[in-house]
Amino acid sequence: MKKVAVIMGSDSDLSVMNGCIEVLKQFEVPFEVRIISAHRTPNTAHEFASKAIESGFGVIIAAAGKAAHLGGVLAAYTTLPVIGVPIKSSTLDGLDSLLSIVQMPKGIPVATVAINGAENSALLAIQMLALSDDSLAIKLAEYKEKMAAEVAAKDEKICREVMS
Ligand code: RP5
C-alpha cells in the first residue's frame, strides 16, 4: 500500500494533527510524519515533494497555520494529491490559514478540509488510497456503519429520555 505523508509547518501543529495520526493508525495505513516549512525550510519542501512519488507516497497531507503556503508549495512540486489542513492560529482564528490554503490558483489544486480538520484529512487520504485497495474500502464502509450505529443509539437514548 502507498504511504501517507503527514507534513506540518511546525511542531506547534502537532496537538491538532495527532487527530490525523490516530485515524491513520486506526486504519493501519502506513504513514510518515515530517516537520517541513514552506518558509523556514523551503529547500526541504522542494526536495520532499519532488521525490514523494519515488519515496512511495500516494497522498500528502499538509497542515499549516497563519500564511499557510505549505500545501500549495508541496503541490507545486508533485502530481500527488495534496490535502491541506488549515491550523487555527492565535490571532485570526484560522481564517488566515483557511484562505491561504483554499484559494489556490487554477492548475495547482489543494483539497482543503475544515479549520483544524485533522481527522477528516486522514479520512480523505484513506478514501484516495481505497480507490486502488479493496480492503481499505471495506474498512471505510465499516467505519461509516459504526458511526451511523452510534448516532442511532444516541437518537434512541434522547428520544427515550425526553419522552419518559
Ligand atoms: C506555520 O506557522 C506553522 O504551520 C504554524 O501553524 C505557524 C506557527 O508556527 P510556530 O511559530 O509555532 O513554529 O508555519
Side-chain angles (χ1 to χ4, degrees), residues 8 11 23 32 36 58 63 71 80 82 84 98 103 126-127 140 149:
M8 54 196 95
D11 60 347
V23 174
E32 286 180 26
I36 300 174
L80 288 177
V82 176
L98 173 65
Q103 289 286 48
I126 293 165
Q127 286 176 332
L140 279 165

Side-chain angles (χ1 to χ4, degrees), residues 9-10 12-13 40 63-66 87:
S10 168
S12 63
D13 301 324
R40 294 166 176 160
K66 300 190 173 179
I87 300 294

Side-chain angles (χ1 to χ4, degrees), residues 19 40 45 53 57 77 84 112 121 134 149 164:
R40 294 166 176 160
I53 293 175
F57 293 103
Y77 290 113
T112 310
S121 72
D134 291 345
S164 64

Side-chain angles (χ1 to χ4, degrees), residues 59-76:
V59 50
I60 296 174
I61 295 172
K66 300 190 173 179
H69 299 138
L70 179 61
V73 167
L74 295 174

